[in-house]
Amino acid sequence: MRGIATKISGLAPLFVLFIAGAVSSFEDIEKLRIWPLPAEVSHGGRRMYLSEDFKLVTEGSKYEDPSGILKEGFDRMLAVVRLSHVVSGHRNSSSSGGSALLEGLHVIISSSTDELEYGADESYKLVVASREKPYAQLEAKSVYGALHGLQTFSQLCHFNMKKKVIEILMTPWNITDQPRFSYRGLLIDTSRHYLPLPVMKNVIDSMTYTKLNVLHWHIVDTQSFPLEIPSYPKLWNGAYSPTQRYTFEDAAEIVNYAGRRGIHVLAEIDVPGHALSWGKGYPSLWPSKNCQEPLDVSSDFTFKVIDGILSDFSKIFKFKFIHLGGDEVNTTCWSTTPRISKWLKKHRKTEAEAYEYFVLRAQKIALSHGYEIINWEETFNNFGNKLNPKTVVHNWLGTGVVGRVTAAGLRCIMSNQDKWYLDHIDTPWQMFYANEPFEMIKDEKRQSLVLGGEVCMWGEHIDASDIQQTIWPRAAAAAERLWTPYTKLAENPDKVTTRLAHFRCLLNERGVAAAPLVGGGRVAPFEPGSCLAQ
């Protein structure tokens, strides 16, 4: 299918899309080598080279880049495009062998703010016109949409080994893009194994390549409490060792590092279960010395500590949501500890009612600090009609939960363990790709309550040595499901194998230890051969 020369709506008059072919089949899509697949793409058949001094131009943009977010993003884009090769570059069109020279990227952003708000516009338009136009153009409503556009632009660029230059094939390009879901998450777990700060930053960098936008930081759990809490400084006595800790400033640095890349950080404290480590510093949080979790429901001190943690969190974790866990609560310690059993009788509560009381009281504390709440699905399964209306239910256990949650009028995030748990290394990437958040939900109003989804990298068998190859490339398969329009997704995941294999090799080239596609997760290469064949 061919189109005549067309002016791109909303772009400066200088930029015109010349004759280009529209992408019309999965065979065409597989040749694009872009991941995740944009909403709308057309391209031609020409070649361009990047100038040696390829530059960023922002004339006409309302965004003045006061904190350098756009410039840093542009520099990172050039770095991953060059892949540490020595680039000869081109200074003029005559030295490019007759192919057009691209001198720079013109970025126009219509919003002047760089405040990272959940649900903000992440769309962008990217035009690489062809030899007649020396500048590509990227248009976005927000700087974070522009960062997504830079990631896409980076995938159009290739290092030509013979000429030692950066080239863009199949010009002219016209890409219009936006995410399907506003919440596209990855969970990491720093309780089961400590993850050093450089490792966490590497994970954040790799998330940007697939346009994931929420880092769910499962900070503490039964095994360890590695984070400094200024209000209750003995809590991090529950760390594995004095060196396997995060200072409060470390946490602020992670939030800042992620935020400058357009990624929200969702902090989680899992209560009342999964909290044995809290009592290492404050033993009175345990029901008893011999029965150490869940947290003591009968003590006001328990809720003062939660209030102190969330008060401290509110100073650095600026995402609108906080995750309060609420899963896998075994309440036996409450009934077998005499003083708590006495409290239950006094307040005429069963263990189940005490569990409900604890979750709802913790929710009120979070709301008082300006947060909306995310809870694991057990809270909904047990007392869904009592949850605060601002609750987001996080599905992980079973099928059909998303449908029941949205039917009840609550919002939902999907992370069903049979499809989107990365620690299940026998789950192949095809299952990650095929997992559909809207499955069995046809009503548009209920669909609007599904914020998106999240792949979960639980840390029982994961540490700095193997986290990246366990995350990638399977998380990328889920990322396309969460970004790309439903009508553009492949019904058969095997149809995208070639494109995903190319992207996996690209991750390797960028220093991300993404595992081969063949097999489940975290598999070794089967035999010698090309990266593309693994």
Side-chain angles (χ1 to χ4, degrees):
M1 182 176 178
R2 294 283 174 181
I4 60 172
T6 308
K7 186 178 293 185
I8 306 304
S9 174
L11 299 182
L14 172 66
F15 291 90
V16 177
L17 178 64
F18 292 88
I19 297 174
V23 177
S24 59
S25 69
F26 278 114
E27 288 73 17
D28 292 335
I29 288 170
E30 282 295 88
K31 295 176 183 177
L32 294 182
R33 304 295 189 261
I34 303 173
W35 196 281
L37 185 69
E40 299 292 339
V41 184
S42 64
H43 66 86
R46 297 176 179 174
R47 180 195 309 260
M48 299 187 78
Y49 294 109
L50 266 62
S51 169
E52 184 178 10
D53 57 350
F54 188 79
K55 54 185 174 287
L56 172 67
V57 176
T58 58
E59 183 180 356
S61 177
K62 291 184 179 179
Y63 180 71
E64 297 181 354
D65 203 20
S67 55
I69 289 175
L70 178 61
K71 180 60 167 60
E72 287 179 7
F74 180 80
D75 290 343
R76 288 194 304 272
M77 181 273 292
L78 283 182
V80 297
V81 164
R82 288 168 178 162
L83 299 172
S84 298
H85 292 297
V86 176
V87 179
S88 296
H90 283 297
R91 293 190 178 277
N92 55 61
S93 58
S94 62
S95 64
S96 63
S99 295
L101 192 65
L102 201 59
E103 296 178 6
L105 180 63
H106 187 183
V107 179
I108 299 176
I109 301 171
S110 58
S111 173
S112 61
T113 181
D114 55 18
E115 184 176 352
L116 182 60
E117 296 181 344
Y118 175 70
D121 195 313
E122 297 178 85
S123 66
Y124 67 91
K125 295 179 181 179
L126 176 63
V127 176
V128 184
S130 200
R131 61 183 304 117
E132 296 85 356
K133 306 299 175 186
Y135 284 85
Q137 178 151 318
L138 173 61
E139 180 185 2
K141 298 291 179 59
S142 73
V143 66
Y144 302 107
L147 293 182
H148 292 318
L150 289 174
Q151 290 298 337
T152 298
F153 183 81
S154 76
Q155 292 188 41
L156 303 182
C157 299
H158 308 275
F159 182 75
N160 185 312
M161 290 287 183
K162 289 184 178 181
K163 296 184 178 180
K164 301 177 184 177
V165 296
I166 305 299
E167 63 184 9
I168 299 180
L169 305 177
M170 302 197 303
T171 63
W173 285 94
N174 179 22
I175 297 173
T176 302
D177 203 9
Q178 64 184 24
R180 181 183 176 205
F181 290 101
S182 59
Y183 188 107
R184 309 178 302 280
L186 167 67
L187 177 147
I188 60 171
D189 172 7
T190 58
S191 173
R192 278 52 181 262
H193 284 96
Y194 176 80
L195 296 174
L197 291 174
V199 173
M200 295 180 66
K201 288 182 175 180
N202 287 340
V203 169
I204 291 168
D205 285 335
S206 65
M207 290 174 66
T208 66
Y209 302 148
T210 57
K211 302 181 175 68
L212 294 175
N213 71 339
V214 179
L215 178 70
H216 177 176
W217 188 359
H218 187 85
I219 304 171
V220 305
D221 210 291
T222 294
Q223 292 81 2
S224 74
F225 197 119
L227 178 62
E228 178 185 25
I229 302 296
S231 295
Y232 290 92
K234 292 182 181 179
L235 281 170
W236 72 350
N237 289 3
Y240 287 124
S241 73
T243 60
Q244 295 178 83
R245 289 172 168 170
Y246 306 101
T247 67
F248 199 59
E249 292 76 14
D250 289 339
E253 168 63 14
I254 289 296
V255 171
N256 178 65
Y257 189 89
R260 296 183 71 81
R261 288 154 177 79
I263 295 175
H264 305 275
V265 178
L266 170 67
E268 178 180 359
I269 55 167
D270 199 345
V271 295
H274 291 279
L276 181 150
S277 61
W278 298 37
K280 299 292 180 65
Y282 297 96
S284 62
L285 292 170
W286 290 332
S288 72
K289 184 178 179 180
N290 298 318
C291 206
Q292 298 174 332
E293 62 181 350
L295 296 168
D296 186 351
V297 66
S298 70
S299 172
D300 283 340
F301 179 65
T302 298
F303 298 97
K304 288 180 180 178
V305 171
I306 293 173
D307 183 61
I309 292 172
L310 295 181
S311 176
D312 288 344
F313 274 17
S314 68
K315 297 176 176 65
I316 57 172
F317 293 108
K318 299 300 184 180
F319 192 30
K320 69 180 291 184
F321 297 110
I322 194 77
H323 205 304
L324 296 180
D327 61 312
E328 297 182 318
V329 180
N330 182 343
T331 58
T332 302
C333 283
W334 290 346
S335 59
T336 57
T337 301
R339 61 182 179 80
I340 300 179
S341 178
K342 183 178 180 180
W343 181 90
L344 291 173
K345 292 177 181 177
K346 178 181 178 181
H347 291 85
R348 298 180 180 178
K349 292 185 184 297
T350 63
E351 291 177 32
E353 289 169 337
Y355 166 44
E356 175 188 317
Y357 162 81
F358 195 115
V359 169
L360 297 184
R361 185 168 175 180
Q363 284 197 337
K364 288 180 180 178
I365 295 171
L367 289 165
S368 75
H369 291 290
Y371 286 117
E372 295 183 29
I373 310 110
I374 302 176
N375 278 112
W376 293 109
E377 72 171 72
E378 286 95 326
T379 58
F380 176 80
N381 295 338
N382 285 280
F383 45 87
N385 63 334
K386 302 291 184 60
L387 292 170
N388 188 280
K390 291 187 176 182
T391 303
V392 178
V393 178
H394 198 161
N395 158 240
W396 75 278
L397 276 172
T399 58
V401 175
V402 176
R404 293 196 297 274
V405 170
T406 56
L410 293 175
R411 294 167 295 175
C412 192
I413 296 166
M414 192 172 80
S415 293
N416 46 325
Q417 62 176 334
D418 59 328
K419 302 289 179 62
W420 275 1
Y421 266 30
L422 291 158
D423 55 311
H424 293 194
I425 60 174
D426 58 341
T427 305
W429 69 265
Q430 290 92 339
M431 294 180 70
F432 279 79
Y433 188 93
N435 198 32
E436 173 51 46
F438 285 166
E439 187 174 11
M440 307 302 292
I441 302 176
K442 306 301 182 184
D443 180 74
E444 289 187 6
K445 183 177 180 181
R446 287 173 58 192
Q447 287 181 349
S448 70
L449 296 173
V450 181
L451 302 184
E454 176 179 291
V455 288
C456 298
M457 184 66 276
W458 295 107
E460 283 85 350
H461 305 286
I462 310 298
D463 65 10
S465 71
D466 59 2
I467 185 170
Q468 289 284 37
Q469 58 262 49
T470 315
I471 292 174
W472 307 108
R474 294 179 301 158
E480 179 155 294
R481 173 67 51 172
L482 293 168
W483 178 273
T484 301
Y486 180 79
T487 56
K488 298 296 179 67
L489 295 166
E491 291 185 15
N492 180 355
D494 289 335
K495 293 286 187 181
V496 304
T497 300
T498 301
R499 191 162 46 87
L500 182 57
H502 179 273
F503 182 73
R504 178 253 169 174
C505 294
L506 182 65
L507 290 176
N508 285 175
E509 291 171 357
R510 294 180 176 185
V512 179
L517 269 66
V518 179
R522 209 171 66 205
V523 296
F526 180 66
E527 59 186 10
S530 166
C531 171
L532 292 167
Q534 295 171 358

